[in-house]
Amino acid sequence: MTPIFHGRKFHPLCSFRDVSWPEIPKRNSQNNIDKNPDGTLHNQITCYEYIRTQAENIGQLELRKEMIRQELACRAELAKPSFERLLRKAYGWICDHGTSVGRPALALLGLWFVTFFAWQGWAADEAAITTWDVLYHTGGRMLPLVSGHAYVEEQTLNAIRAAPPALHVLSTIAAVLSPFCLFLMALALRLKFRMSM
């Protein structure tokens, strides 16, 4: 169970090492342990909040980060089935509640690979489009700083415009999702740099 420290003040030298925090009870679990997951989740959230504030008071930023992650995971499980719960769960899967840089980077890379190879498969039959053109086009759609067709030849641009609609839809999806992945990466990086200071 999550330790209960209500009313206690942490000592500046206290530390939590090699701690295994309890599993977040699942709302739809069939286990006998989780007969009242809502009450258990509320208790865990309260404990994590208190440990988080105490960790912040004594400068234990790594512990604070872990408590934020645990608290957000509990809140995601506690949310009623709705679009909000779906967003909270997706936030946990994609970036581990704002603590993982690798997961959004991997999602961004996977999104780019799918887009790149779809366009490359189509461009293999087009004489006007080279691999570099596909690389520039797919990268430019995903990274707004690289976008624009100022340096693309007119015949290449016309060939890209004549591509099948499915490829344009895929590029649009990548263009919409990539800023979210970049934002989640920046959020986790900000947290990591705050930890190291």
Side-chain angles (χ1 to χ4, degrees), residues 64-141:
R64 178 184 172 271
K65 179 180 84 168
E66 178 61 25
M67 292 303 98
I68 289 171
R69 195 179 72 70
Q70 293 286 350
E71 184 184 335
L72 288 174
C74 284
R75 290 189 188 282
E77 202 58 47
L78 191 61
K80 291 188 170 38
S82 63
F83 185 66
E84 178 196 350
R85 184 174 187 190
L86 184 66
L87 284 177
R88 285 179 182 266
K89 289 280 196 179
Y91 184 58
W93 294 326
I94 295 172
C95 68
D96 201 15
H97 301 288
T99 58
S100 173
V101 178
R103 284 186 190 182
L106 197 62
L108 190 65
L109 193 62
L111 192 60
W112 176 75
F113 268 124
V114 168
T115 308
F116 175 77
F117 285 114
W119 276 90
Q120 184 63 28
W122 169 78
D125 299 331
E126 288 288 326
I129 300 177
T130 65
T131 302
W132 288 108
D133 292 328
V134 172
L135 187 66
Y136 180 74
H137 177 70
T138 54
R141 292 292 297 202

Side-chain angles (χ1 to χ4, degrees), residues 20 24 29 47 68 101 146 174 185:
S20 298
I24 308 299
S29 176
C47 291
I68 289 171
V101 178
V146 187
M185 283 172 58

Side-chain angles (χ1 to χ4, degrees), residues 5-195:
F5 293 112
H6 304 307
R8 314 247 177 195
K9 292 202 173 170
F10 284 16
H11 189 277
L13 295 178
C14 95
S15 65
F16 290 77
R17 293 177 195 209
D18 302 323
V19 175
S20 298
W21 298 102
E23 290 287 321
I24 308 299
K26 301 295 180 202
R27 181 174 271 231
N28 299 325
S29 176
Q30 300 300 320
N31 294 344
N32 293 332
I33 301 167
D34 299 330
K35 285 182 181 173
N36 184 8
D38 286 359
T40 308
L41 286 167
H42 280 298
N43 291 339
Q44 279 189 266
I45 288 170
T46 307
C47 291
Y48 291 138
E49 281 176 344
Y50 194 80
I51 296 171
R52 173 177 50 86
T53 55
Q54 289 298 309
E56 192 170 0
N57 289 341
I58 62 170
Q60 296 249 351
L61 298 177
E62 195 62 42
L63 178 61
R64 178 184 172 271
K65 179 180 84 168
E66 178 61 25
M67 292 303 98
I68 289 171
R69 195 179 72 70
Q70 293 286 350
E71 184 184 335
L72 288 174
C74 284
R75 290 189 188 282
E77 202 58 47
L78 191 61
K80 291 188 170 38
S82 63
F83 185 66
E84 178 196 350
R85 184 174 187 190
L86 184 66
L87 284 177
R88 285 179 182 266
K89 289 280 196 179
Y91 184 58
W93 294 326
I94 295 172
C95 68
D96 201 15
H97 301 288
T99 58
S100 173
V101 178
R103 284 186 190 182
L106 197 62
L108 190 65
L109 193 62
L111 192 60
W112 176 75
F113 268 124
V114 168
T115 308
F116 175 77
F117 285 114
W119 276 90
Q120 184 63 28
W122 169 78
D125 299 331
E126 288 288 326
I129 300 177
T130 65
T131 302
W132 288 108
D133 292 328
V134 172
L135 187 66
Y136 180 74
H137 177 70
T138 54
R141 292 292 297 202
M142 294 185 70
L143 301 172
L145 300 175
V146 187
S147 65
H149 296 291
Y151 304 107
V152 179
E153 295 175 11
E154 189 64 32
Q155 64 183 24
T156 305
L157 197 54
N158 289 336
I160 287 173
R161 286 181 184 141
L167 290 176
H168 289 291
V169 168
L170 188 62
S171 290
T172 304
I173 290 170
V176 168
L177 291 180
S178 62
F180 289 113
C181 291
L182 290 169
F183 173 73
L184 293 174
M185 283 172 58
L187 205 64
L189 280 171
R190 177 180 168 267
L191 193 61
K192 283 197 183 300
F193 282 121
R194 261 184 86 186
M195 293 299 147

